[in-house]
Amino acid sequence: MDAHSRGRADDIDPADQWVLNPNTGNYELRLDHSAGESSSPSRTATAEGTGRRGGSRTGSSREGSGRRGSGSREREEAPDGPRQVPGQRRRSSQGGRGAAEPPSAGRRKRKPQKSRKKKALLWTGGVMAFVVVAGSAGAYVLYQKLNGNIDAIDVGDAGSKNVVTDGPMNILIIGTDKRTGKGNEGYGDKGSEGHADTTILFHVSEDRTNATAMSIPRDLKTEIPECETKNEDGTTTVVPGTPNERFNTSLGQNGRDPGCTMRTVENITGLKPDHFMMVDFNAVKSLTSAVGGVNVCMAKPIDDPKSHLKLPQGESKVQGEQALALLRTRDSFGNRSDLDRIKVQQQFLGSMIREMKSSDTLTNPKKLYKLADAATDALTVDKAIGDARKLVTLAEEIGKVDTKNISFLTMPVIDNPAEPKPITVVVDPVKGEQLFAMMRSDTSLTEVKQKEKAAKGKQAALLKGPKAEAADVRVDVLNGGEIPGAAGSTVTWLQNEQGVLKSTNKANAPEKIKKTTLEYAPNQADQARALAEMMGLPATAMKQGTADAEGLEAMVLTLGADFKGAGQLITGPTKPPKDIEKASADKAVCAQ
């Protein structure tokens, strides 16, 4: 729709400023609102999902078509006329220079570029629901409008200062039970700042081929560590840690902010969240309404008098208050526990992701605008990503993951043995650590480039064979990672816990490395295999030399950025623990 005939710029709906570029087949957004504002370079945003602002003057840009049309020189010579979207002819009812010209007989109209739409699907398709919308925001609406919507909290060193990292990324998604807005009087605790009611740790692999979304039960009993919170006047307050607390009190209780929740998750799993994204009840209502509803499936009819949720058996579409009721109800599914509610939430998020990557959403500028506006208005994030452009960058990175390789699961837990009649849960001491080790070692839960599968042939064979006794293992340890004192703590652990008395702390390595390595001679292979088993070294860490060691020469273990702490395996199991239920974001499942 042509925005120039709509009057004042303030009266224009940003979603109505889109025009179709016939040379690319993509929608393009015209950001200037009046014919008299042609002295500055035109700025366009294309439906590629890049969120870039073009700095080219109209007529010289090649974004829209691969070449300029026959009227390009005339446009360059008319600076006082209205600027055009690159690659598009001016629409006018009058003849002359401004009139649209038919293609010449000797020139064929360029076909739409399929690769651009495919790229948009790629980066918006495989990402958590709220992150998807944040990414779409940068591509489709005015930066200043959305940037003003976002709230940011300084969590200090609880997260990363960088928007994205070269290695794996962990994003903590927090849904709070805060009561704000009309219609939410029946939810949450009155006057509460909001607790961590729904929490998902979203782990994105280093190669961006897969992701694991692990839900954390709100009724998990755990230790909440000491944490610092930032005050409005710039000072900090230290909130004391408390043992044996419900996980959901890691936020909102005693002044704890999302940084405290991030530290609690790291304390439980050994995985440090890089960023957090937090929403309250209103987000579910506004986002589902903006997208036009989310498809859900019920294995049986639902009629819950507490949440007022009524749904028929089979497929339905929910939005607004009904969507929130679905996510909040506990009495309609399974054994009425919070764990069964989590399964429904995971199925809902998978469906929402599919809806957001659908062509009905991606090709509808008005729907995208409403969705982006609702998402940024609902989001509270850490300061490092508290900017629309930074959210776009993060979303583009996460969006490289295909939805079929996003696995939803719940943290392995057991009933709290300290309670005669358990109402809370604790981490399963065996299955929990196995899953956390897999995530720490960046091992996929899907059949995508598992590290053990990549390490084939001769390299994998290095781990097979006889192993030396711990007392016969001789190794020098260097720290090439990010944890201060890692070499010393590892030597202490090897000597006291593993019986490797001939281990020596050689302090810092000459340079930082990403992956831990073990260098050894062929006649030290049995020692290397023994040490690899103790530390969970993958086959790719084994660096066997060509010449035998002489005398008392020691192997060299250099700890990399993948080292998380003494006693923690470098790589986890190749498969998730038995009986762990997981679902894929690309498949619809009926809630039971």
Side-chain angles (χ1 to χ4, degrees), residues 109-123:
K109 181 178 178 181
R110 186 170 180 172
K111 293 182 179 180
Q113 298 178 2
K114 294 181 181 179
S115 61
R116 294 195 173 192
K117 186 172 181 180
K118 185 176 180 181
K119 181 178 179 183
L121 285 169
L122 176 69
W123 77 264

Side-chain angles (χ1 to χ4, degrees), residues 66-83:
R67 58 187 176 186
R68 285 180 289 183
S70 60
S72 62
R73 178 177 298 276
E74 294 176 282
R75 288 195 297 272
E76 287 175 342
E77 294 173 353
D80 296 328
R83 295 193 303 276

Side-chain angles (χ1 to χ4, degrees), residues 176-402:
T176 76
D177 56 2
K178 186 175 181 179
R179 282 173 51 166
T180 60
K182 185 178 180 181
N184 291 330
E185 294 82 3
Y187 301 109
D189 298 327
K190 186 175 182 179
S192 169
E193 289 298 316
H195 299 111
D197 188 67
T198 300
T199 307
I200 296 175
L201 180 61
F202 192 63
H203 173 85
V204 184
S205 68
E206 180 176 2
D207 61 9
R208 310 305 189 236
T209 63
N210 63 91
T212 300
M214 182 180 70
S215 295
I216 304 174
R218 66 178 185 179
D219 293 331
L220 175 74
K221 275 295 187 77
T222 187
E223 176 189 1
I224 300 179
E226 176 182 287
C227 62
E228 286 188 355
T229 61
K230 300 284 185 178
N231 301 318
E232 292 183 1
D233 61 2
T235 61
T236 60
T237 298
V238 177
V239 183
T242 52
N244 202 30
E245 285 271 11
R246 286 183 190 247
F247 173 81
N248 69 335
T249 62
S250 63
L251 176 69
Q253 196 86 355
N254 301 324
R256 295 186 179 112
D257 66 9
C260 298
T261 307
M262 296 169 77
R263 288 182 171 89
T264 303
V265 170
E266 182 180 6
N267 190 56
I268 296 170
T269 65
L271 291 152
K272 181 181 176 66
D274 295 290
H275 304 291
F276 83 86
M277 293 184 175
M278 183 171 67
V279 294
D280 61 20
F281 290 139
N282 287 326
V284 177
K285 296 181 182 180
S286 60
L287 288 174
T288 54
S289 297
V291 81
V294 174
N295 291 317
V296 296
C297 180
M298 301 295 113
K300 60 182 180 180
I302 302 298
D303 188 355
D304 185 355
K306 290 185 178 179
S307 64
H308 308 293
L309 176 66
K310 290 184 178 182
L311 289 174
Q313 182 178 357
E315 293 187 357
S316 302
K317 180 168 282 193
V318 297
Q319 62 179 296
E321 188 70 36
Q322 193 177 35
L324 179 57
L326 174 63
L327 298 185
R328 292 288 298 163
T329 186
R330 297 177 65 162
D331 294 336
S332 301
F333 306 105
N335 60 7
R336 302 181 177 182
S337 71
D338 187 50
L339 299 180
D340 289 302
R341 185 180 70 127
I342 287 174
K343 293 179 184 178
V344 175
Q345 292 171 348
Q346 293 171 348
Q347 293 161 6
F348 179 86
L349 283 174
S351 181
M352 194 166 186
I353 288 174
R354 293 191 296 274
E355 179 65 34
M356 289 182 176
K357 67 166 260 185
S358 70
S359 58
D360 288 344
T361 299
L362 290 176
T363 60
N364 187 327
K366 226 166 193 181
K367 181 183 286 188
L368 277 170
Y369 172 74
K370 291 177 181 177
L371 193 56
D373 190 37
T376 51
D377 191 50
L379 274 177
T380 299
V381 299
D382 56 284
K383 195 173 181 180
I385 56 172
D387 176 279
R389 290 193 187 99
K390 292 177 180 178
L391 282 173
V392 170
T393 300
L394 180 62
E396 287 178 325
E397 190 72 8
I398 297 173
K400 295 174 182 178
V401 182
D402 194 314

Side-chain angles (χ1 to χ4, degrees), residues 427-508:
V427 175
D428 187 310
V430 177
K431 294 179 181 179
E433 180 51 36
Q434 288 176 344
L435 178 60
F436 304 156
M438 283 191 72
M439 295 174 71
R440 288 195 299 264
S441 63
D442 201 26
T443 302
S444 173
L445 271 71
T446 63
E447 297 296 321
V448 180
K449 292 186 179 180
Q450 289 193 8
K451 297 183 183 302
E452 289 73 22
K453 290 186 177 182
K456 296 179 179 178
K458 294 181 179 179
Q459 191 68 24
L462 295 176
L463 293 174
K464 298 177 180 179
K467 301 177 181 66
E469 296 293 329
D472 296 327
V473 174
R474 190 182 298 271
V475 62
D476 292 338
V477 183
L478 292 86
N479 183 15
E482 304 294 333
I483 302 175
S489 63
T490 298
V491 168
T492 300
W493 175 77
L494 285 171
Q495 292 179 351
N496 295 340
E497 302 295 332
Q498 302 298 313
V500 183
L501 302 179
K502 298 171 185 175
S503 52
T504 306
N505 175 11
K506 292 295 184 178
N508 291 331

